[in-house]
């Protein structure tokens, strides 16, 4: 089978590998459409260390090709997506409903072979049937959409609230999309006008402001979503958050960021991480929202490449100049 293997930083090739076989409790999937995530970009650029070679990719929609022993809820030909982070379901964190921070978590395309291939296996427990009403491009974007749905639910934002989004990459844009669909007003900020244009197209306002703290205070922002993943953006979000608000950190900044604890304590500003999603509730909710026509995550897709052009697709996604890049298998 064809498989896109990362051989070294910025070096990915489509190679011929033996197809995997589903073990007991697993599903063998033949991908149709795939998404490139920011974590794929981080691995591609060498910012995160992994054993080479590694088949990348974890955002996938495809058809079941075969099932392993003991799998009864899926059959060949069925259209499915994958929830690609697999908590152990047995540790203290998992038992407390916090599988997203499970220390034993395995992840497709990171610790396990990914989906940028003609075939990939996944646990049946983390495989989801997709209604025929959802197109492939939307289905392949459900996984990052679940990240946004989880963050909005965690924030407690409600109809009529005003929130701010810092960083209009794919996750930031999907938060705009989900929030706007919920009747939440969004003020979005990004350095690049093309990203601000995309945010406006999804329902955000992008007012020019030299002083975000003053703007957010005047507009009664209740939650700030930091989605840029840079230390400067984290400092901006925390330093500008209004009294009594909360800051949700979704970006994965790797440099230290500073803040003034005195102000946070006195003004009751809460800082919370929001990492991926909760199993199984968030995927079920997200699929239902897309199937019901409330959300259309493919609106953030800007370009599509064939699997044979995976190197060009990764370079484009790495440039930061596009929306979501998808790949056809």
């Amino acid at each position: 089978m064809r498989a896109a293997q990362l051989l070294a930083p910025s070096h990915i090739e489509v190679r011929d590998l033996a197809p995997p076989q589903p073990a007991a409790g697993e599903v063998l999937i033949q991908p149709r459409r795939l998404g490139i995530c920011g974590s794929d970009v981080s691995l591609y650029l060498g910012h995160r260390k992994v054993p080479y070679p590694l088949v990348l990719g974890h955002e996938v929609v495809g058809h079941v090709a075969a099932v392993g022993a003991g799998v009864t809820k899926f059959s060949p030909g069925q259209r499915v997506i994958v929830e690609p982070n697999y908590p152990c379901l047995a540790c203290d964190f998992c038992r407390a409903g916090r599988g997203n921070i499970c220390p034993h978590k395995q992840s497709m395309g990171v610790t396990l072979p990914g989906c940028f291939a003609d075939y990939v296996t996944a646990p049946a427990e983390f495989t989801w049937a997709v209604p025929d009403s959802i197109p492939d491009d939307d289905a392949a974007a459900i996984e990052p959409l679940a990240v946004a749905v989880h963050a909005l639910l965690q924030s407690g934002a409600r109809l009529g609230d005003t929130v701010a989004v810092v960083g209009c990459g794919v996750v930031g844009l999907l938060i705009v999309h989900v929030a706007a669909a919920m009747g939440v007003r969004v003020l979005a900020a990004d350095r690049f006008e093309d990203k601000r244009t995309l945010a406006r197209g999804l329902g955000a306002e992008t007012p020019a402001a030299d002083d975000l703290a003053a703007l957010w205070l005047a507009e009664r922002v209740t939650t700030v979503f930091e989605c840029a993943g840079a230390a400067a953006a984290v400092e901006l979000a925390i330093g500008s958050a209004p009294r009594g608000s909360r800051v949700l950190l979704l970006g994965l900044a790797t440099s230290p960021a500073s803040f003034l604890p005195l102000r946070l304590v006195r003004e009751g500003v809460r800082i919370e991480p929001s990492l991926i999603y909760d199993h199984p509730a968030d995927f079920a909710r997200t699929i239902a929202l897309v199937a019901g026509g409330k959300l259309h995550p493919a609106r953030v897709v800007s370009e599509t490449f064939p699997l044979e052009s995976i190197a060009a697709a990764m370079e484009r996604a790495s440039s930061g100049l596009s929306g979501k890049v998808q790949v056809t298998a």
Side-chain angles (χ1 to χ4, degrees):
M1 70 169 188
R2 300 171 304 160
Q5 282 192 315
L6 182 66
L7 305 176
S10 300
H11 183 190
I12 191 168
E13 291 183 6
V14 176
R15 293 185 160 193
D16 186 35
L17 303 180
Q21 299 300 315
E26 290 187 338
V27 176
L28 179 68
I29 299 167
Q30 185 174 15
R32 287 172 54 95
R33 189 174 284 251
L34 314 142
I36 296 179
C37 175
S39 62
D40 295 318
V41 169
S42 180
L43 294 170
Y44 173 72
L45 295 175
H47 297 163
R48 295 175 63 183
K49 300 303 179 185
V50 292
Y52 301 115
L54 174 69
V55 179
L56 290 182
H58 60 267
E59 299 177 9
V60 57
V61 60
H63 288 101
V64 174
V67 298
V71 176
T72 59
K73 68 175 183 176
F74 296 109
S75 56
Q78 199 166 359
R79 190 159 159 267
V80 294
I81 60 172
V82 177
E83 181 183 346
N85 293 285
Y86 316 140
C88 73
L89 304 180
C91 70
D92 289 345
F93 292 107
C94 287
R95 287 197 297 268
R98 304 186 70 191
N100 61 331
I101 60 168
C102 170
H104 312 297
K105 181 176 62 185
Q106 298 288 311
S107 299
M108 177 185 285
V110 181
T111 61
L112 299 170
C115 61
F116 291 169
D118 286 330
Y119 294 95
V120 65
T121 58
E125 167 75 20
F126 296 89
T127 301
W128 294 83
V130 182
D132 291 339
S133 60
I134 300 179
D136 280 351
D137 53 358
D138 276 328
I142 284 176
E143 193 273 343
L145 182 64
V147 174
V149 169
H150 174 81
L152 259 295
L153 291 173
Q154 180 178 329
S155 76
R158 295 174 293 181
L159 178 70
D161 284 351
T162 298
V163 303
V165 172
V166 177
C168 295
V170 170
V171 170
L173 291 172
L174 288 172
I175 287 179
V176 170
H177 182 39
V178 177
M182 292 170 52
V184 175
R185 181 178 176 231
V186 185
L187 306 180
D190 195 281
R191 293 182 300 159
F192 300 106
E193 175 56 28
D194 61 335
K195 297 294 182 70
R196 295 194 295 271
T197 299
L198 290 171
R200 288 193 295 271
L202 292 168
E205 301 171 35
T206 58
D210 294 326
D211 187 344
L212 282 181
L215 173 69
W216 292 348
L217 178 62
E219 299 297 339
R220 298 183 178 181
V221 165
T222 60
T223 303
V224 179
F225 298 91
E226 189 285 307
C227 304
V234 173
E235 292 176 352
L236 177 66
I238 294 174
S240 302
R243 179 183 295 268
S245 66
R246 68 174 64 184
V247 179
L248 265 68
L249 303 179
L250 287 90
L252 302 177
T254 56
S255 299
S258 62
F259 59 88
L260 184 63
L262 175 65
R263 187 184 81 85
L264 301 185
V265 174
R266 281 185 171 173
E267 297 186 8
V269 176
R270 290 169 289 175
I271 303 173
E272 301 176 22
S274 183
L275 179 66
I276 55 172
Y277 28 72
D278 290 334
H279 175 76
D282 286 327
F283 254 66
R285 291 188 187 104
T286 305
I287 292 170
L289 288 167
V290 178
K294 294 184 182 297
L295 298 174
H296 302 279
R299 290 180 62 187
V300 305
V301 176
S302 59
E303 295 169 80
T304 304
F305 292 77
L307 182 62
E308 291 80 2
S309 300
I310 188 65
M314 292 300 303
E315 283 296 315
R316 183 59 178 169
S318 302
S319 72
L321 300 176
S322 63
K324 168 67 70 177
V325 176
Q326 289 190 340
V327 175
T328 55

